[in-house]
Amino acid sequence: MKFAEIAAALPATAVTSMAEMSSQLSALSPQPRHLASGKVREIFDLGDALLLVASDRLSAFDVILPDGIPGKGAILTQMSNWWFAQTAGLIQNHLLPDQAGEFARRGITSRDLQLRSMIVRKLKPLTIECVARGYLIGSGWSSYQKTGEVCGIKLPAGLRQADKLPTPIFTPTTKAPKGQHDEPINDAQGAAAIGAALYEQVKAMSLKLYAFGHDRARQAGMILADTKFEFGTDAAGKLFLIDEVLTPDSSRYWPAADYRPDCSPPSYDKQFVRDHLLAIKWNQQPPAPRLPAETIARTREKYLAALKNLLG
Ligand SMILES: Nc1ncnc2c1ncn2[C@@H]1O[C@H](COP(=O)(O)OP(=O)(O)OP(=O)(O)O)[C@@H](O)[C@H]1O
Ligand SMILES: [Mg+2]
């Protein structure tokens, strides 16, 4: 789908609650069974597939904020769809092949719901989150300053904040339940969690996908500093890329023009929100405070800008 077509269809107010989504789903027969709520997505069982609906919810410091970003769910879904198509030659993904056909067949007619939804294979998510990093920033930078290592990987001395790493690294984490923080793990812990062979497979694939994403983002004027992938397996043990992929929620993108090491470059994600929450000294425990309208508007523009850069 073209950027202009997506941008024109985005809602003016944020869709954040199950109730708002349910009203769009109420016309469906049979009614999809609600399986779970993630921080951002609502997951429904369609019998032979899953329906993942991305809301406009926003989380910061792992807490869901009371305000959403209008259109964020559709932006995340459409950007993921674009990346799934780009990466189809590297790995198969969870999308059923004909999304428009699936929507029609299942009576999903609301345009808003279509834009924020994916109809996907039911897979078993791996119990680790697969993070790949090409630059020294965020928790990686914090860890390097303390120990010279990131997730047990020794890095050369003298690197600066936001420096490009000599080679991209794989820094997985646990997949923590709602409300808890994902914890970094090393290769041995990762292999113990999912099995050594599968661990080597997802490590290699994450680095391959990161390199691909970095090159492609660079052509769109952005630097992909780091990203988190999720993988799942089918009954036969075959590996699929699942969830969302290479979105500003799962990745750190920087405008290439503003990039320089020795500082924390502005990114295409929730930086305005985080800056605001740090400025008001929120204790990072629920309930989270409301956001100023300007912070919401600026964050929305950043998500849209990233989509525009990629899809043109
Ligand atoms: N094809 C699939 N089969 C089964 N589960 C899936 C599939 N794709 C995604 N999921 C799961 O659906 C959930 C999506 O919800 P959401 O993105 O809100 O996740 P979350 O883990 O709560 O938050 P975050 O992404 O911020 O860590 C995740 O738990 C993900 O593992
Ligand atoms: Mg997620």
Side-chain angles (χ1 to χ4, degrees), residues 123 126 198 201 232-240:
L123 298 164
L126 300 189
L198 189 54
Q201 197 186 352
T233 50
D234 68 7
K238 200 167 173 182
L239 195 68
F240 290 77

Side-chain angles (χ1 to χ4, degrees), residues 212-251:
F212 177 87
H214 181 271
D215 288 354
R216 196 67 198 74
R218 197 66 192 73
Q219 292 166 26
M222 300 190 292
I223 290 175
L224 176 67
D226 49 43
T227 190
K228 176 197 85 179
F229 300 108
E230 283 196 53
F231 296 94
T233 50
D234 68 7
K238 200 167 173 182
L239 195 68
F240 290 77
L241 187 56
I242 67 168
D243 204 54
E244 61 181 335
V245 61
L246 293 165
T247 70
D249 272 17
S250 66
S251 321

Side-chain angles (χ1 to χ4, degrees), residues 144-165:
Y144 174 78
Q145 285 174 287
K146 282 180 215 134
T147 63
E149 295 185 353
V150 180
C151 286
I153 302 165
K154 185 98 198 127
L155 294 174
L159 292 176
R160 296 161 299 175
Q161 184 179 32
D163 256 336
K164 188 170 189 179
L165 296 172

Side-chain angles (χ1 to χ4, degrees), residues 37-43 50 52 59 94 120-125 129 175 178 182 228 230 242-244:
S37 291
K39 286 191 284 293
V40 171
R41 291 174 181 76
E42 298 296 341
I43 301 129
L50 294 179
L52 298 190
S59 66
H94 67 165
V120 305
R121 285 171 192 257
K122 280 185 180 175
L123 298 164
K124 194 167 143 222
E129 309 229 331
K175 195 165 153 52
K178 225 175 175 175
D182 296 337
K228 176 197 85 179
E230 283 196 53
I242 67 168
D243 204 54
E244 61 181 335

